[in-house]
Amino acid sequence: MCAHAISVKDLRRSYGSLEAVRGVDLQVEEGEVFALLGPNGAGKTTTVEILEGHRTRTSGDVSVLGHDPERGERALKERIGIVLQETGVEPFLTVAEVIEMYRGYYPHPRPVDEIIEVVGLTEKRDVRANKLSGGQQRRLDVAVGLAGDPDLLFLDEPTTGFDPSARRGAWQMIQNLQALGKTIFLTTHYMDEAQHLANRVAIIVGGKIVAEGPPASLVAAGITTTTIHFHVTADGARPPGDGWEEKDGAYEKATDDPVRELHDLTGWALRHNVELRELTVTQPSLEDVYLQLTGAAAPAESAEPPARGRSRRRRR
Amino acid sequence: MSTVSLTLRQVRFENLSFWRNPASAFFTFAFPLMFLVIFTTLFGDDTNFYVPAIAAFSVITAGFTNLAMSVSFARDQGVLKRKRGTPLPPIAYLGGRVVHATLMAILLVVIVTLFGAAFYSVDISFETLPALLVTLLVGAATFSSLGLAMTAAVPNADAAPPVVNFTILPLLFISDIFIPSDNAPDWLPRVADLFPVRHLSVAMQAAFNPDAFGTPNGFKWTEIGIVALWGVVGIVLAVRFFSWEPRR
């Protein structure tokens, strides 16, 4: 068994004259949660679908659990679970029946009720798929992906359309899966999701990986400025130093040296007896890094293939 | 699990799904009977013609029309793409659908025949039963494979009913299904014979009325053979053009 669950070298995919993926290198270790981030049209879906075996590549080397996904080998499909953005299940079967059906495709499936419990659908066990809410249907999607007890699970935007508590539940579920030793390849639009779940992230823009690493190290390497924000009520009170932006008594400043700035600011406030309301010191987040890396390259034209539209979401 | 047992397993789940949608199931069965009653009422009680004609129609409905529409729908919903990502062999999934469609065709023909026996005094001869069964099975297999091939020409689920009806309805009218072609100009059955529907219809007529066709055992082998050839055409087209991905 190889140490890399996924290994990609110089992956390229063109659609006619459009080069959607332009030389992607990726390595995903066994047992890690890896998140691929990127704006719509950056080549994210194309990359994931090549790894899943749903699309062919133009060139490059791809190995998924030691197999080339393009060959569509059953031996590989038995070891991976795929949760796509837009996939339906048989609408008239119950949750338990759908999972039972998909279990039968795999040599070593997980027990039905265990899967149902992992995704939190125990109470909906005997409810038909078309009677589930959107979030519950998404959980059923994940349940179907887990039916074969896969070593590697692809999750394409698993929490899109979830309410905040459902998202937390899904995060817990993904963490439980990792605890079971599964490798998880995640794509998401939510930076907090990637920051919370992923051991490593890669950001793809214009068909290329522009940054890769653990979320914390990406943040550290990307933006070093910390933002200090506060609010004063006393008229005419101006904080010391330059660079404060003021609006209606609210001050904000981005700084590379937050310790010194805060020392000066709080010293000034004490001396002049100024109350610093809503004083916050904000570290840059993965989202800031992401916006910085992708903002300039916000694509006007889509690099995704024109067919297979993703705009219309028709499930069941 | 072997491909055969996976296929049979798919049939079981297809069947479970089918009966869970009572409206769809009811009208699938009511449709041929409705046509049988309407046509025999409209065009005099030429039941010797209409019972086998509607039996052929049932085979076409179950195999071609229903399969083309439901597979297009499943493709649009992403069910097919999801299956493609699992180890289930494609042949087991499609085979499961074809076998289920064939079972439905058998059930429909049984119902139409029993209805004909009960209300229109149609004779069921045990001598021609093998011919009826072979015609039915070959017809169901052929029209199922053509139904799967048809999905390649259906851009999306919304377009499935018009596209499928546009291809099959004209043939049903000119192929001795809805109306006997006795009074039609000579060239019309010749045109119809370029397609598989009339061959199935004639083979079915022979299985019900062996004397009129001079086939004592009811086997109209030429017609059955041509229907089977169309089945091969359907398989080749389906293998070449079938799509597992939603296409809009």
Side-chain angles (χ1 to χ4, degrees):
Chain A
M1 191 175 274
C2 57
H4 296 308
I6 297 174
S7 173
V8 175
K9 285 194 194 78
D10 198 29
L11 175 65
R12 287 170 191 276
R13 179 59 161 113
S14 303
Y15 297 97
S17 61
L18 195 76
E19 203 174 14
V21 178
R22 327 174 175 207
V24 162
D25 295 295
L26 280 179
Q27 239 104 52
V28 179
E29 310 298 325
E30 280 186 6
E32 79 174 343
V33 177
F34 183 91
L36 183 63
L37 314 174
N40 289 329
K44 197 173 38 163
T45 300
T46 300
T47 304
V48 178
E49 295 209 335
I50 287 170
L51 297 179
E52 292 167 343
H54 281 303
R55 291 188 199 199
T56 56
R57 58 185 183 269
T58 306
S59 68
D61 295 324
V62 178
S63 165
V64 176
L65 301 175
H67 295 263
D68 180 348
E70 201 169 294
R71 292 212 194 115
E73 291 162 295
R74 201 164 161 183
L76 173 61
K77 288 180 176 178
E78 284 172 353
R79 291 180 59 202
I80 62 174
I82 300 174
V83 181
L84 294 161
Q85 279 177 55
E86 303 178 64
T87 44
V89 293
E90 287 69 6
F92 293 102
L93 299 183
T94 67
V95 167
E97 286 162 354
V98 168
I99 296 171
E100 177 58 32
M101 175 169 64
Y102 278 88
R103 282 178 79 247
Y105 305 160
Y106 297 88
H108 308 292
R110 297 180 80 174
V112 175
D113 287 310
E114 198 181 298
I115 299 167
I116 291 177
E117 201 183 319
V118 169
V119 300
L121 284 175
T122 306
E123 282 171 22
K124 300 287 173 186
R125 189 183 190 285
D126 297 313
V127 173
R128 291 180 193 181
N130 60 359
K131 303 279 185 204
L132 298 175
S133 72
Q136 288 163 348
Q137 288 185 357
R138 198 74 189 124
R139 277 187 268 168
L140 180 56
D141 286 340
V142 177
V144 169
L146 290 174
D149 197 19
D151 297 325
L152 169 63
L153 185 65
F154 290 96
L155 293 172
D156 200 358
E157 297 183 16
T159 65
T160 298
F162 277 27
D163 63 44
S165 74
R167 280 182 75 208
R168 290 282 163 178
W171 291 3
Q172 188 60 53
M173 184 185 81
I174 291 167
Q175 285 167 328
N176 293 347
L177 292 174
Q178 189 184 21
L180 291 172
K182 311 287 180 203
T183 308
I184 294 166
F185 192 102
L186 177 76
T187 68
T188 181
H189 280 309
Y190 302 115
M191 293 306 123
D192 54 339
E193 186 162 291
Q195 196 155 15
H196 189 85
L197 292 173
N199 302 107
R200 282 192 309 127
V201 302
I203 297 174
I204 186 169
V205 178
K208 286 180 182 158
I209 304 287
V210 293
E212 191 191 341
S217 78
L218 274 194
V219 172
I223 303 174
T224 52
T225 50
T226 300
T227 305
I228 300 169
H229 172 99
F230 66 93
H231 192 100
V232 292
T233 45
D235 287 339
R238 285 202 57 87
D242 301 325
W244 289 100
E245 280 182 40
E246 191 253 332
K247 194 184 177 214
D248 300 331
Y251 288 84
E252 200 169 282
K253 183 177 188 174
T255 174
D256 294 336
D257 193 1
V259 172
R260 183 174 301 277
E261 283 293 342
L262 279 169
H263 181 82
D264 290 351
L265 177 67
T266 50
W268 165 81
L270 284 173
R271 278 196 307 279
H272 296 87
N273 206 22
V274 177
E275 188 185 357
L276 300 177
R277 293 195 172 179
E278 295 167 20
L279 175 64
T280 55
V281 182
T282 313
Q283 293 295 325
S285 68
L286 187 59
E287 185 152 357
D288 296 317
V289 179
Y290 176 83
L291 289 174
Q292 191 186 53
L293 286 169
T294 60
E301 95 284 14
S302 168
E304 293 290 329
R308 319 269 191 265
R310 325 225 110 245
S311 56
R312 198 157 63 125
R313 190 176 167 88
R314 273 187 64 133
R315 294 162 49 85
R316 312 177 175 98
Chain B
M1 249 192 281
S2 72
T3 304
V4 172
S5 54
L6 282 169
T7 305
L8 295 177
R9 214 168 160 274
Q10 281 306 116
V11 174
R12 189 161 66 82
F13 283 109
E14 288 297 337
N15 199 44
L16 196 56
S17 274
F18 179 83
W19 296 105
R20 285 282 174 78
N21 189 350
S24 159
F26 175 79
F27 287 106
T28 300
F29 287 94
F31 210 46
L33 290 181
M34 177 190 77
F35 277 132
L36 181 58
V37 171
I38 289 177
F39 287 130
T40 46
T41 310
L42 266 179
F43 302 114
D45 49 358
D46 189 1
T47 52
N48 282 337
F49 172 80
Y50 273 116
V51 170
I54 296 302
F57 170 71
S58 303
V59 171
I60 293 165
T61 301
F64 183 79
T65 317
N66 284 6
L67 205 55
M69 290 193 197
S70 67
V71 170
S72 299
F73 199 64
R75 188 186 60 197
D76 249 28
Q77 289 176 314
V79 173
L80 298 191
K81 186 170 184 178
R82 190 200 285 275
K83 298 284 179 198
R84 200 78 164 116
T86 72
L88 181 70
I91 190 74
Y93 178 73
L94 296 178
R97 301 207 65 136
V98 168
V99 171
H100 184 256
T102 302
L103 291 176
M104 290 302 106
I106 293 171
L107 195 53
L108 276 168
V109 170
V110 167
I111 290 173
V112 167
T113 308
L114 291 178
F115 192 89
F119 297 99
Y120 300 121
S121 62
V122 163
D123 288 331
I124 307 163
S125 151
F126 282 98
E127 276 150 46
T128 58
L129 208 55
L132 174 59
L133 198 64
V134 168
T135 304
L136 169 55
L137 289 179
V138 170
T142 288
F143 281 91
S144 298
S145 76
L146 290 171
L148 291 179
M150 187 70 218
T151 61
V154 173
N156 56 60
D158 293 338
V163 171
V164 172
N165 283 327
F166 182 83
T167 50
I168 198 68
L169 268 180
L171 290 178
L172 292 174
F173 277 103
I174 67 170
S175 302
D176 288 277
I177 297 274
F178 288 164
I179 306 161
S181 57
D182 302 345
N183 300 323
D186 284 348
W187 55 267
L188 194 61
R190 302 288 81 77
V191 171
D193 276 341
L194 297 174
F195 303 96
V197 176
R198 188 161 183 275
H199 297 288
L200 177 68
S201 162
V202 170
M204 201 62 100
Q205 294 287 352
F208 275 83
N209 308 310
D211 298 340
F213 285 80
T215 50
N217 58 7
F219 276 108
K220 197 89 166 122
W221 284 115
T222 320
E223 311 295 330
I224 293 171
I226 294 172
V227 171
L229 273 180
W230 271 98
V232 175
V233 170
I235 291 170
V236 170
L237 290 176
V239 166
R240 177 70 187 79
F241 296 109
F242 191 79
S243 164
W244 297 80
E245 298 238 355
R247 36 202 304 208
R248 284 151 195 164

